[in-house]
């Protein structure tokens, strides 16, 4: 499953202009950071041919000392992901739906603004 997150990271970085690279499963200690990570999810559908549609939940975190940059980046990622289907290396994303739209998470004591969003994603591993 980690391969999916690496492929999604590459997909975002290749198709969007972001202020930094995307980290996996947590923000970095840099003042500017973007992260995608896994959240607890439900089971997907298992088909008669033993293929399984996976349902995963993804959290996007964006951090910047500039609140407008943080919010606009979270919104741009939301526009890119929400309601779309696409392929990333080895996986077909059948649907990606926002269920927590981008919103302020916190302003840290170091005056960094953190925004978060969450997505429900249905994926199928592509046949080899």
């Amino acid at each position: 499953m980690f391969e999916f997150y690496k492929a999604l990271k590459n997909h975002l970085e290749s198709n969007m202009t972001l202020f930094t690279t995307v980290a996996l499963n947590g923000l970095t200690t840099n003042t500017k950071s973007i992260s995608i990570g896994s959240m607890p999810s439900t089971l997907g559908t298992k088909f008669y041919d033993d293929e399984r549609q996976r349902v995963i939940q993804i959290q996007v975190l964006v951090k910047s000392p500039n609140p407008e940059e943080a919010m606009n980046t979270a919104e741009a990622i939301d526009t890119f992901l929400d309601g779309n289907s696409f392929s990333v290396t080895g996986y077909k994303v059948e649907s990606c739906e926002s269920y927590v739209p981008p919103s302020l998470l916190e302003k840290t004591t170091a005056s960094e603004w953190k925004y978060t969003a969450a997505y429900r994603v249905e994926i199928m591993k592509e046949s080899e």
Side-chain angles (χ1 to χ4, degrees):
M1 199 71 236
F2 195 72
E3 290 77 24
F4 170 76
Y5 288 96
K6 290 192 306 189
L8 182 58
K9 166 189 164 37
N10 292 334
H11 184 66
L12 289 172
E13 292 173 346
S14 298
N15 293 287
M16 297 189 71
T17 302
L18 301 170
F19 59 75
T20 188
T21 58
V22 177
L24 296 177
N25 290 320
L27 293 168
T28 66
T29 57
N30 299 336
T31 58
K32 292 185 176 187
S33 183
I34 300 170
S35 172
I36 54 173
S38 62
M39 298 172 62
S41 303
T42 61
L43 292 174
T45 303
K46 188 167 185 176
F47 299 102
Y48 287 112
D49 62 1
D50 284 334
E51 287 202 20
R52 180 179 294 275
Q53 176 192 56
R54 299 278 312 257
V55 175
I56 60 174
Q57 294 182 169
I58 296 172
Q59 181 180 35
V60 173
L61 295 166
V62 177
K63 175 178 73 168
S64 174
N66 179 330
E68 186 176 351
E69 178 180 56
M71 185 170 97
N72 287 344
T73 301
E75 289 287 347
I77 293 170
D78 184 67
T79 299
F80 184 76
L81 291 177
D82 186 39
N84 290 311
S85 61
F86 48 89
S87 291
V88 295
T89 307
Y91 295 88
K92 168 75 174 145
V93 175
E94 295 180 332
S95 73
C96 181
E97 302 294 331
S98 171
Y99 69 91
V100 177
S103 58
L104 178 65
L105 182 62
E106 70 173 330
K107 179 182 177 187
T108 68
T109 56
S111 293
E112 298 164 336
W113 296 80
K114 292 182 183 178
Y115 281 78
T116 186
Y119 302 87
R120 181 183 185 277
V121 184
E122 296 176 358
I123 63 173
M124 290 286 291
K125 190 165 186 167
E126 292 181 339
S127 300
E128 297 177 6

